[in-house]
Amino acid sequence: MKNEIYKYGKIEYYDTLPSTNAFLKSRAKDEKESLVVVASSQTKGHGRFDRKFYSPANTGIYMSILLKPKTIGFDATRITSAAAVAVAQTIETLSDKTAQIKWVNDVLIDSKKVCGILTEGSINPKNGTLEYAVLGIGINLFMPENGFESEIQNIAGYIFEEYDPSLKEKFIKEVLKNFFKYYNNNTEILNEYRKRSAVIGKDILVLKHNGTKFAKALLIDDNFRLKVKYPDNTEEFLNSGEISIKI
Ligand code: BTN
């Protein structure tokens, strides 16, 4: 394990971990805000709804950041959204690609997912605020040696064509710089988020636990909810918690 001090705290680099989110959650109560854990690979990387997040060695970034938000309203959705913008901006700075954000937690290049974000929090039962949050970010920097697994072959993408291991630390630092810009100053995330939306104006499928519905995605509101219109002209504001969408 290698340690490094960065502007906001400490980064710990590990070889392989089951899941950087699970590892950091187990330490969350005893550690200071902004501790970052990075693993070269994960054996049990997971995403929303406990879906597997493919985390092979060398070609991706698997990192988690410990947060203890003091700003009221800086909830899991806002953290996820700030991270999506931070990753998209990093892609635009370090590559010649254009990044889009698929509500609420995926970053896409040419409609392929290159990054997934999972914020897991612990709510204080006394006042309903976030006790801590673990922000997990998984990024496919390069094409994995043996390609992507068959289930995700058609939907997964990567950022850089040429393998260059030195890009990894550069990318991590740039994501942290961009993320903390939003996290510490609560500056405008929404515009940056909306202007990269891969969803607004599109026909989508809304996947809920009780079924699937066609809809038109209309807008993202000030609380990062997605407003949709169904074929019967009824409208709904979707919260990210229990819903995913397909474009
Ligand atoms: C998703 O696609 O639904 C979110 C994927 C989040 C993956 C990252 S990789 C680092 C961290 N550790 C995990 O187990 N998950 C997150």
Side-chain angles (χ1 to χ4, degrees):
M1 195 254 286
K2 181 181 112 181
N3 271 345
E4 191 187 335
I5 301 301
Y6 76 112
K7 194 170 168 202
Y8 300 102
K10 193 167 73 170
I11 308 179
E12 296 179 355
Y13 292 92
Y14 292 84
D15 188 16
T16 189
L17 284 175
S19 151
T20 56
N21 262 30
F23 180 60
L24 197 49
K25 272 197 293 181
S26 73
R27 297 170 54 191
K29 290 221 164 86
D30 305 322
E31 294 290 347
K32 284 205 198 108
E33 164 155 279
S34 72
L35 171 63
V36 180
V37 168
V38 181
S40 289
S41 64
Q42 298 183 118
T43 52
K44 287 194 178 135
H46 60 272
R48 293 208 308 150
F49 313 115
D50 225 13
R51 290 181 194 133
K52 175 179 172 184
F53 188 82
Y54 184 51
S55 314
N58 304 325
T59 54
I61 291 172
Y62 317 108
M63 65 193 271
S64 299
I65 308 165
L66 178 61
L67 301 169
K68 301 193 171 176
K70 284 161 211 79
T71 316
I72 306 282
F74 224 102
D75 58 9
T77 306
R78 196 164 283 267
I79 290 169
T80 299
S81 307
V85 170
V87 171
Q89 288 176 332
T90 303
I91 291 172
E92 290 155 12
T93 306
L94 297 183
S95 81
D96 55 2
K97 308 267 172 76
T98 304
Q100 285 200 299
I101 300 171
K102 177 176 164 257
W103 183 86
V104 55
N105 65 326
D106 291 344
V107 181
L108 314 179
I109 292 177
D110 295 331
S111 307
K112 297 266 173 89
K113 174 167 171 171
V114 298
C115 165
I117 297 162
L118 175 67
T119 304
E120 298 182 279
S122 166
I123 305 283
N124 182 334
K126 285 188 203 134
N127 55 16
T129 57
L130 262 185
E131 220 159 27
Y132 69 79
V134 169
L135 163 61
I137 308 177
I139 305 164
N140 306 328
L141 280 189
F142 312 105
M143 170 77 136
E145 242 172 306
N146 301 315
F148 290 103
E149 290 180 317
S150 55
E151 310 93 81
I152 57 168
Q153 234 168 40
N154 296 327
I155 51 169
Y158 55 93
I159 301 167
F160 300 103
E161 303 299 327
E162 300 226 344
Y163 182 68
D164 173 359
S166 73
L167 279 170
K168 202 165 160 176
E169 277 195 36
K170 227 189 249 174
F171 206 96
I172 291 170
K173 304 272 172 59
E174 189 72 18
V175 169
L176 292 173
K177 183 184 96 190
N178 290 335
F179 173 75
F180 279 104
K181 176 176 72 190
Y182 294 113
Y183 182 71
N184 287 332
N185 303 320
N186 207 10
T187 44
E188 191 53 59
I189 311 166
L190 262 165
N191 281 345
E192 295 295 320
Y193 190 90
R194 284 181 182 136
K195 79 179 185 206
R196 293 181 177 81
S197 175
V199 170
I200 297 172
K202 297 266 170 64
D203 292 322
I204 60 167
L205 263 184
V206 177
L207 314 169
K208 294 191 188 185
H209 59 276
N210 57 354
T212 300
K213 271 183 173 180
F214 282 104
K216 175 86 131 189
L218 299 180
L219 55 86
I220 288 160
D221 81 356
D222 292 356
N223 295 312
F224 294 92
R225 293 180 308 171
L226 182 66
K227 185 179 181 188
V228 296
K229 188 180 205 160
Y230 296 110
D232 64 3
N233 279 333
T234 56
E235 294 180 345
E236 189 179 10
F237 286 91
L238 305 179
N239 280 305
S240 58
E242 301 133 24
I243 292 166
S244 64
I245 59 166
K246 271 196 183 148
I247 304 173

